[in-house]
């Protein structure tokens, strides 16, 4: 999970790792959102092959640069965060868009969502096939909803799934992409390995011990890469925040399965400061979709960030409102993260074993 928080009065952001918060003096020289935009992206929790570490870093750097370029050109946060996600979806090494995990039927079905902290509008697609950049469909749904009611007073959709989502996307100018072209040699290889494992498991007369052993060995051995939802959070030049996520879902998932990346309040959340909330927050999550859906974790984390002691409030939210194993989710074997402000010449990277968060500077 990554989140971003800023005050309506004074905004400063800093990064921490291993849940260690920097002191006030250390954070005073970090980025001020009142001066320029800021973006933070991640390539998903899970196992990232060391042989592809350079590709993950490059994907995050390109995503940061694309978002910052948009911000410098005057784009709003919601437009910049969509641009960042497009870069991550276009990478054949992430589990989003191109190169996504294949489902049981050997097909690619993607989830994505985006939220605008200024309007609180949200757009999402689930189990969509034949679209290279699902986040563009989610963004278009959000934009169309902001235009108001349809003919005859109909309410415009904010969340579409399956064939209906695909047809709506095509009718609104989002280009199609054959599913077979979205599969890469990496995703096809992983699918074949997983399929062989499943076929062998079904043939074997397994007892309790053998089943347990099989489950324990189904992780990253033989080069299998288990990657999850990619995402980003952005602050624009006016201080508006936005968040977005995109995912190909679990490998060998059941056709039609929709993960947290598409669900409201689960995959991402963004909310500008207002009378009820003194701080703007933007959150992007990555992890087991079924668990995140049951807890609406993105929204819960956003609410916790309004506390004076945001660190403690977040820990309590994870302990009290989420299953205990989430406390370890940020220590997955790797999670590539990049961040960049409008004042930076290039993106900064934090790759293995880092849990990244942007935090407001607490005033004495």
């Amino acid at each position: 999970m990554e989140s971003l928080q800023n005050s309506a009065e004074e905004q400063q952001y800093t990064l921490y790792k291993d849940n260690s918060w920097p002191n006030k003096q250390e954070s005073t020289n970090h980025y001020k959102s009142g001066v320029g935009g800021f973006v933070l992206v991640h390539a998903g929790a899970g196992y990232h092959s060391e042989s592809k570490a350079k590709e993950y870093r490059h994907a995050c750097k390109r995503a940061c640069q694309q978002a910052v370029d948009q911000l410098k050109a005057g784009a709003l946060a919601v437009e910049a965060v969509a641009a960042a996600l497009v870069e991550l979806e276009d990478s054949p090494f992430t589990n989003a868009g191109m190169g996504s995990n294949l489902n049981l039927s050997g097909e690619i079905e993607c989830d994505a969502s985006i939220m605008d902290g200024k309007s609180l509008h949200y757009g999402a697609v689930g189990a969509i096939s034949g679209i290279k950049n699902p986040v563009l469909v989610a963004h278009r749904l959000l934009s169309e909803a902001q235009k108001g009611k349809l003919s005859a007073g109909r309410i415009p959709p904010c969340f579409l799934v399956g064939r209906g989502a695909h047809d709506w996307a095509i009718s609104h100018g989002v280009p199609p992409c054959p599913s077979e072209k979205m599969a890469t040699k990496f995703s096809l290889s992983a699918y074949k390995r997983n399929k062989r494992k499943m076929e062998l498991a079904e043939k074997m007369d397994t007892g309790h011990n053998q089943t347990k052993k099989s489950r324990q060995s189904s992780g990253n051995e033989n080069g299998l890469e288990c990657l999850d939802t990619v995402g980003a959070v952005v602050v624009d030049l006016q201080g508006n925040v936005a968040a977005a996520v995109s995912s190909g879902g679990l490998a060998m998932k059941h056709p039609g399965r929709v993960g947290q990346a598409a669900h409201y309040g689960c995959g991402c959340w963004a909310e500008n400061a207002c009378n009820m909330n003194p701080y703007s927050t933007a959150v992007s999550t990555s992890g087991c979709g079924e668990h995140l859906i049951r807890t609406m974790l993105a929204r819960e984390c956003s609410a916790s960030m309004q506390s004076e002691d945001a660190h403690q409030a977040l820990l309590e939210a994870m302990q009290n409102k989420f299953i205990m194993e989430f406390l370890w989710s940020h220590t997955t074997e790797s999670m590539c993260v990049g961040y960049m402000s409008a004042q930076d010449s290039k993106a900064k990277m934090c790759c293995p074993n880092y849990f990244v968060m942007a935090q407001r500077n607490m005033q004495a």
Side-chain angles (χ1 to χ4, degrees), residues 205-223:
D205 182 17
T206 57
H208 174 74
N209 291 336
Q210 183 61 46
T211 300
K212 182 177 180 181
K213 181 180 178 181
S214 176
R215 288 175 178 172
Q216 289 175 339
S217 65
S218 63
N220 61 6
E221 67 174 16
N222 301 321

Side-chain angles (χ1 to χ4, degrees), residues 245-263:
V245 287
S246 183
S247 179
L250 297 173
M252 309 304 286
K253 66 184 180 182
H254 194 285
R257 181 258 189 188
V258 177
Q260 105 282 355
H263 282 78

